[in-house]
Amino acid sequence: MITADEILARLGEAFTLAPDEPDARGSAPAESFLVDGGPDRVGVIGSVTRPFCGACDRVRLTADGQVRNCLFATEESNLRDAMRAGASDSDLAERWRKAVLGKRAGHGIDDPAFLQPARPMSAIGG
C-alpha cells in the first residue's frame, strides 16, 4: 500500500500542490489539490491512511440488488429478493433506511481483526 502522504510527496517532487478549498470537500472521497496554482487539480483518496468515514454519505446499490453501505462492509442488504416478491415502495424504502442506519462510524481497516469483504469493489461496481 502507498499512503496518501507518500503519493503527495511523490507528486510534490514534480509539482506544487495546494489544498483546493478544503471546506468544499463535503462527503466526497477525494482530497483535491491545485497543481501549480491551478486550474489543474489532482484528487487523492486516502481511505486507509486518511479516513473520511465521519463525513461519508456514500451507499451503493449493486447490479444484483444488494445495498452496500460502505465499500469495506462485510454485510449487504438484499433488495432484489424483496422486489421480486412484490414488496411495496414503502417496504423497499424501509429496507434502504435500515441498510443506511447500519452504516458503521468507520471501516476499521486499521483494526487487526478487520476482514476484507467477500466481494471487492470491482465485483460491486465500486
Side-chain angles (χ1 to χ4, degrees), residues 60-81:
R60 284 169 173 76
L61 178 61
T62 67
D64 61 352
Q66 307 299 309
V67 177
R68 173 91 64 101
N69 63 19
C70 174
L71 283 177
F72 300 106
T74 56
E75 299 171 352
E76 298 175 346
S77 300
N78 187 336
L79 291 184
R80 179 193 60 203
D81 291 350

Side-chain angles (χ1 to χ4, degrees), residues 71-106:
L71 283 177
F72 300 106
T74 56
E75 299 171 352
E76 298 175 346
S77 300
N78 187 336
L79 291 184
R80 179 193 60 203
D81 291 350
M83 290 176 72
R84 288 183 175 171
S88 68
D89 287 349
S90 61
D91 182 45
L92 293 173
E94 182 59 27
R95 288 170 182 264
W96 185 273
R97 271 191 290 281
K98 284 182 182 178
V100 172
L101 290 172
K103 189 172 179 71
R104 296 181 182 180

Side-chain angles (χ1 to χ4, degrees), residues 12-92:
E13 292 171 5
F15 306 100
T16 301
L17 301 177
D20 179 22
E21 301 181 42
D23 294 333
R25 178 177 180 181
S27 64
E31 286 181 84
S32 181
F33 297 87
L34 292 173
V35 178
D36 294 333
D40 295 328
R41 293 174 172 78
V42 65
V44 175
I45 301 175
S47 60
V48 175
T49 59
R50 291 186 180 187
F52 51 89
C53 299
C56 178
D57 63 1
R58 308 253 165 157
V59 179
R60 284 169 173 76
L61 178 61
T62 67
D64 61 352
Q66 307 299 309
V67 177
R68 173 91 64 101
N69 63 19
C70 174
L71 283 177
F72 300 106
T74 56
E75 299 171 352
E76 298 175 346
S77 300
N78 187 336
L79 291 184
R80 179 193 60 203
D81 291 350
M83 290 176 72
R84 288 183 175 171
S88 68
D89 287 349
S90 61
D91 182 45
L92 293 173

